[in-house]
Amino acid sequence: MVPSLLHPPSQLSPAAALQLSQQAPAVLQSSPSTVSASPLSALFRTSETPDLWAKYENLLLSCLRTGDEVAARQCLERLVARFGDDNERVMAFKGLLKEADAQHNGDLDRVLKEYDQILKDNNTNIPITKRRIALLRSMGRVPEAASALVQLLQFSPTDAEAWSELADVYFSQGLYPQAVYALEEALILAPNAWNIHAHLGEMQYMAATATGAAGGSYNKYMAEALKRFTRSIEICDDYLRGYYGLKLVTSRVLKDAVKPTKQADEDEFTLPDTTTVEQLNELATAKLSEIVRHYTAQDLGWRGYDELEVAAARELLSKDGSAIER
Amino acid sequence: MAQIPVQTIHRDPQLFYWILFPITAVMILTGILRHYATILMATAPKKLDKKTMREQRSLLHGISVRGSFHVLSKKSFATRRDALTTAYESGAYLKDPERRGQAPPNPMSDPSSMEGMMGMMKNQMAMIIPNTLIMSWINAFFSGYVIMKLPFPLTIKFKSMLQAGVATKDMDPRWMSSISWYFLCFFGLQSVFNFLLGNDNAASQMAQQMNQMGPPGGAQMFGPGVDPDKQFLAEAENLAVIEHYSVLDGVEQRLLDSIVV
């Protein structure tokens, strides 16, 4: 996939991010440094489009990532010139640049104080609230970040981004039930997001296999993880992570020979019977090897997969194959 | 049946330069002016304070839980339903819980809703004033004679529209007066404004009339005069009557049936 400046660059590989940020001089030169809002110039020049500002934002992020702070500053200047110093989004970008400039923890503390000051003046500035949380987290003050996120979600419970960040924070702390709850909230807001379904499956798989999971909750988590992966494949039928997770879960279930016990609690999911699990395992294996084969041959229409993910799938398959041979 | 003779009226060719063209130019210029006047007069959307935001988004949260409950397992849905209905019924998310149960304030006396009305008034004024002025200008200067002949035949019904101000009974309806030209411009300049000012311009009357017909849904939902407590109670009831099913029920079988490798 060719990286485009029109999409947020958070998911890009380092090489792609570098490629984007190297476009910076060309992009900055090709568009005028200020866009005048006066009607006369609008008649003669091409008018501004939302795309332009999205480009600047994404370029800014890519440049910061690759250490090109001169270009990042130029992008920011253009955003400030257009939207003014007190635009919430622009304020967050300014803070981001200051964080990038910081040499040591003292500088970061100062940025944090500035955020606190801004939030004292305007306590609904969501971009700055999020920056503050991200900064707290990157400074290692994870519990504070979690409580700030909870506060944010108390007055804005329809923010899927914040819910998934909270899930990630809890997950990194090993608090699986909380993480699952938060990610379910994100799923409510985006009910057909196959990646969130699969991610939820991953969390539940880890919750099930983590030490200390008792027998009952093991079954429950495994069953739901299996179903989540299945659902994510049902929505997106060539999603590698979905198949990978499905294979992982079904192999584990088959290996552990979990009995689909008739549970007292009817509300919970139960594992399907062994034949179904075997069929699902076969399906996942077949599809994974298909993906790996086509990706290795670089067939048309199969090139979009992430290289590392395909490598992991290959490894999983080979591990499985050797297990069968033995 | 006698053929009606083709009517010919000798008109000064200067009519085109001194009447048709000026009216069109004035109409276009007023449209552009109105566009920029509306932009200048527009007030920035009012900032929500934290409590209002919480009130609105909590309600939206409940609505999205209700809308996509099927992605949850029965247990996690029940947890959320219990939490939400309890909070809704106790009024925990309300902006000012003390005022619960009282009648909503009169939208006329509430300053925040006055602002919205002022905005609407401003738009109306920007529409009405220039149109009245131009119409009276045209009436004062150019009324009482025809200025052009349309290149296509029309039925008699159009007479009153096209020949406003010219009271001749037998004249072919194809002849039109200046005030009719004004009306034609009034309704027909939409595409010109789209070309000059972009698609979401404020110059066209059509778009404004559309806006008056149906205000956007968001404004109605949290608009003035709506009692959030009632909305919360209704939402709690909606949540309570949901019969839960999960999209994960039997998903394995569905998948095995649908996917063939």
Side-chain angles (χ1 to χ4, degrees):
Chain A
M1 209 168 66
V2 185
S4 152
L5 274 176
L6 293 178
H7 301 291
S10 56
Q11 300 290 331
L12 291 181
S13 64
L18 185 64
Q19 195 193 330
L20 277 188
S21 83
Q22 277 163 352
Q23 293 174 16
V27 172
L28 288 174
Q29 206 138 62
S30 68
S31 36
S33 56
T34 50
V35 171
S36 155
S38 87
L40 272 179
S41 62
L43 281 179
F44 299 115
R45 245 184 276 150
T46 49
S47 52
E48 55 169 330
T49 53
D51 279 359
L52 181 68
W53 308 114
K55 251 189 206 168
Y56 281 148
E57 284 185 3
N58 297 333
L59 194 62
L60 175 83
L61 294 176
S62 293
C63 287
L64 279 184
R65 196 170 153 193
T66 49
D68 184 359
E69 273 157 34
V70 181
R73 207 166 286 282
Q74 277 177 330
C75 291
L76 182 68
E77 272 165 19
R78 293 186 182 188
L79 287 171
V80 170
R82 174 64 180 82
F83 297 101
D85 268 322
D86 48 357
N87 181 286
E88 294 185 352
R89 249 180 121 83
V90 170
M91 281 161 100
F93 279 121
K94 271 158 72 182
L96 190 64
L97 215 65
K98 274 184 204 147
E99 287 173 42
D101 280 341
Q103 301 294 330
H104 47 84
N105 264 348
D107 286 350
L108 287 180
D109 274 329
R110 204 168 315 125
V111 179
L112 194 65
K113 286 217 179 67
E114 275 174 39
Y115 287 160
D116 286 335
Q117 189 56 46
I118 294 172
L119 289 176
K120 204 185 279 173
D121 296 338
N122 172 14
N123 57 8
T124 54
N125 190 338
I126 288 181
I128 288 287
T129 317
K130 287 185 176 170
R131 261 326 320 143
R132 180 171 168 268
I133 291 162
L135 182 57
L136 280 174
R137 203 178 165 194
S138 62
M139 286 165 78
R141 290 149 75 173
V142 181
E144 275 176 69
S147 66
L149 265 172
V150 171
Q151 273 172 19
L152 167 67
L153 287 167
Q154 252 162 14
F155 73 88
S156 167
T158 50
D159 191 333
E161 193 185 26
W163 278 116
S164 15
E165 179 71 12
L166 182 65
D168 200 51
V169 168
Y170 281 139
F171 185 60
S172 67
Q173 304 293 94
L175 300 164
Y176 295 116
Q178 286 87 336
V180 167
Y181 182 91
L183 205 60
E184 277 174 348
E185 287 288 343
L187 198 56
I188 287 176
L189 298 166
N192 293 326
W194 61 86
N195 54 346
I196 298 185
H197 272 289
H199 194 49
L200 195 50
E202 286 162 21
M203 279 187 183
Q204 273 154 342
Y205 176 73
M206 289 186 72
T209 51
T211 47
S217 72
Y218 172 86
N219 255 2
K220 189 191 95 180
Y221 278 131
M222 267 312 204
E224 199 172 336
L226 194 149
K227 280 169 185 284
R228 290 283 171 202
F229 285 125
T230 320
R231 174 68 185 158
S232 91
I233 299 169
E234 194 186 23
I235 302 173
C236 174
D237 62 4
D238 44 11
Y239 188 48
L240 194 149
R241 289 185 86 106
Y243 286 110
Y244 188 96
L246 185 62
K247 179 156 173 55
L248 216 57
V249 174
T250 47
S251 313
R252 178 86 181 211
V253 169
L254 291 174
K255 199 182 90 194
D256 290 359
V258 193
K259 303 248 166 0
T261 44
K262 193 77 193 150
Q263 277 173 344
D265 196 353
E266 279 294 310
D267 288 354
E268 281 169 6
F269 292 120
T270 48
L271 281 168
D273 53 23
T274 321
T275 18
T276 318
V277 176
E278 271 167 4
Q279 277 173 340
L280 284 173
N281 190 7
E282 276 164 29
L283 173 77
T285 316
K287 194 78 189 183
L288 272 183
S289 41
E290 190 187 358
I291 290 173
V292 168
R293 196 174 66 240
H294 282 295
Y295 181 82
T296 320
Q298 286 288 304
D299 284 338
L300 207 64
W302 297 81
R303 293 178 194 162
Y305 290 104
D306 189 81
E307 201 178 337
L308 294 175
E309 289 184 356
V310 174
R314 196 178 291 135
E315 196 175 320
L316 182 75
L317 285 172
S318 68
K319 209 190 287 170
D320 192 52
S322 62
I324 290 173
E325 274 166 12
R326 266 192 273 124
Chain B
M1 201 176 134
Q3 185 77 32
I4 301 169
V6 179
Q7 294 175 344
T8 45
I9 300 175
H10 290 286
R11 286 154 294 141
D12 193 337
Q14 295 285 320
L15 279 176
F16 177 79
Y17 302 109
W18 293 101
I19 298 176
L20 276 188
F21 183 70
I23 292 179
T24 321
V26 165
M27 294 289 293
I28 292 177
L29 286 179
T30 5
I32 293 175
L33 205 68
R34 183 188 305 142
H35 175 71
Y36 286 107
T38 324
I39 290 181
L40 280 182
M41 285 195 302
T43 43
K46 216 172 128 260
K47 272 206 123 30
L48 293 173
D49 59 359
K50 206 167 182 170
K51 289 228 167 116
T52 322
M53 198 186 253
R54 188 178 71 158
E55 187 179 272
Q56 298 186 350
R57 298 205 172 168
S58 307
L59 187 64
L60 287 178
H61 184 215
I63 291 173
S64 47
V65 168
R66 169 162 61 95
S68 41
F69 65 90
H70 51 80
V71 297
L72 299 173
S73 66
K74 191 162 190 171
K75 206 166 180 184
S76 19
F77 174 66
T79 326
R80 281 175 178 76
R81 166 156 70 189
D82 293 345
L84 282 176
T85 37
T86 321
Y88 284 173
E89 276 165 6
S90 67
Y93 292 137
L94 286 177
K95 188 168 46 175
D96 35 8
E98 313 84 74
R99 290 188 47 89
R100 225 182 145 203
Q102 296 173 19
N106 184 359
M108 278 302 173
S109 62
D110 188 9
S112 66
S113 60
M114 274 310 273
E115 229 155 82
M117 297 211 179
M118 274 302 283
M120 230 188 281
M121 282 293 266
K122 274 188 218 160
N123 275 343
Q124 288 280 321
M125 283 299 150
M127 280 275 296
I128 293 169
I129 292 177
N131 282 341
T132 342
L133 286 181
I134 294 174
M135 232 173 115
S136 51
W137 167 68
I138 289 175
N139 252 338
F141 282 84
F142 311 122
S143 67
Y145 47 89
V146 295
I147 53 169
M148 69 181 285
K149 189 182 183 187
L150 292 174
F152 44 84
L154 286 171
T155 54
I156 199 77
K157 287 275 183 196
F158 283 92
K159 218 170 142 59
S160 57
M161 187 181 100
L162 290 182
Q163 291 172 6
V166 185
T168 35
K169 222 170 83 187
D170 293 333
M171 201 157 57
D172 193 329
R174 287 165 71 179
W175 295 101
M176 57 185 280
S177 66
S178 54
I179 197 85
S180 330
W181 179 247
Y182 163 77
F183 277 117
L184 270 188
C185 286
F186 187 83
F187 291 114
L189 281 179
Q190 168 78 44
S191 43
V192 178
F193 291 136
N194 275 356
F195 171 69
L196 286 177
L197 303 169
N199 270 329
D200 48 349
N201 64 70
S204 67
Q205 296 83 13
M206 286 305 163
Q208 297 206 352
Q209 277 161 16
M210 288 300 219
N211 277 344
Q212 286 161 22
M213 298 283 180
Q220 256 179 348
M221 202 165 153
F222 302 115
V226 181
D227 187 3
D229 186 37
K230 291 223 176 72
Q231 281 178 308
F232 277 130
L233 291 180
E235 192 51 43
E237 201 165 302
N238 285 340
L239 279 171
V241 296
I242 285 177
E243 196 170 327
H244 181 265
Y245 66 89
S246 174
V247 78
L248 301 181
D249 297 333
V251 68
E252 306 89 359
Q253 212 50 52
R254 283 208 306 272
L255 185 75
L256 288 175
D257 291 344
S258 68
I259 288 202
V260 186
V261 179

